[in-house]
Amino acid sequence: QVQLVESGGGLVQAGDTLRLSCTTSGRTFRIYSMGWFRQAPGKEREFVAIISRSTEAYYSDSVKGRFTISRDNGKNTVYLQMNSLKPEDTAVYYCCADLTWGITVRDYRYWGQGTQVTVSS
């Protein structure tokens, strides 16, 4: 079983930056692909970014060039650096993990509880 705990959300203004962190339990962090998804009120949970165990990264078009996903295997932690935030980035951000590589919710078995990001205009 893998447990994920996100942190770093908050209320910011448009154009600001935030860095989300997701720390996992267990000694096998390095073999998992890690992802970030987000869910705005009344909307489906959507893909944001993923990073493979070999640190290959992939982003949704809506965040490409503004967000950066990275991982520190020594700290069992994955990060999401969010720059140039926009009001439409407002959502609950979820961290996820699995042995597979994918951009849909069904690709990941393990999920954190989420952290709220609110961007005011």
Side-chain angles (χ1 to χ4, degrees), residues 17-20 66-70 79-83:
T17 65
L18 273 178
R19 189 177 79 158
L20 306 183
R66 299 188 298 122
F67 291 11
T68 302
I69 189 171
S70 61
Y79 303 99
L80 186 68
Q81 178 69 40
M82 305 186 295
N83 299 333

Side-chain angles (χ1 to χ4, degrees), residues 51-99:
I51 186 166
S52 72
R53 56 187 178 183
S54 61
T55 69
E56 179 182 358
Y58 183 74
Y59 302 91
S60 70
D61 288 341
S62 62
V63 307
K64 194 177 300 181
R66 299 188 298 122
F67 291 11
T68 302
I69 189 171
S70 61
R71 64 191 298 161
D72 184 337
N73 290 341
K75 295 182 178 180
N76 283 8
T77 300
V78 62
Y79 303 99
L80 186 68
Q81 178 69 40
M82 305 186 295
N83 299 333
S84 302
L85 281 161
K86 304 176 181 180
E88 51 263 44
D89 294 319
T90 295
V92 177
Y93 283 71
Y94 295 91
C95 174
C96 55
D98 213 314
L99 298 173

Side-chain angles (χ1 to χ4, degrees), residues 2-4 22-25 27-37 47 49-58 69-73 76-79 94-112:
V2 177
Q3 293 183 322
L4 310 173
C22 172
T23 301
T24 69
S25 63
R27 296 174 290 180
T28 57
F29 172 81
R30 67 183 183 280
I31 70 173
Y32 285 94
S33 293
M34 304 294 298
W36 287 97
F37 284 67
F47 162 72
I50 50 174
I51 186 166
S52 72
R53 56 187 178 183
S54 61
T55 69
E56 179 182 358
Y58 183 74
I69 189 171
S70 61
R71 64 191 298 161
D72 184 337
N73 290 341
N76 283 8
T77 300
V78 62
Y79 303 99
Y94 295 91
C95 174
C96 55
D98 213 314
L99 298 173
T100 57
W101 167 269
I103 63 170
T104 72
V105 171
R106 289 178 294 180
D107 291 318
Y108 296 90
R109 288 174 290 172
Y110 308 113
W111 292 85

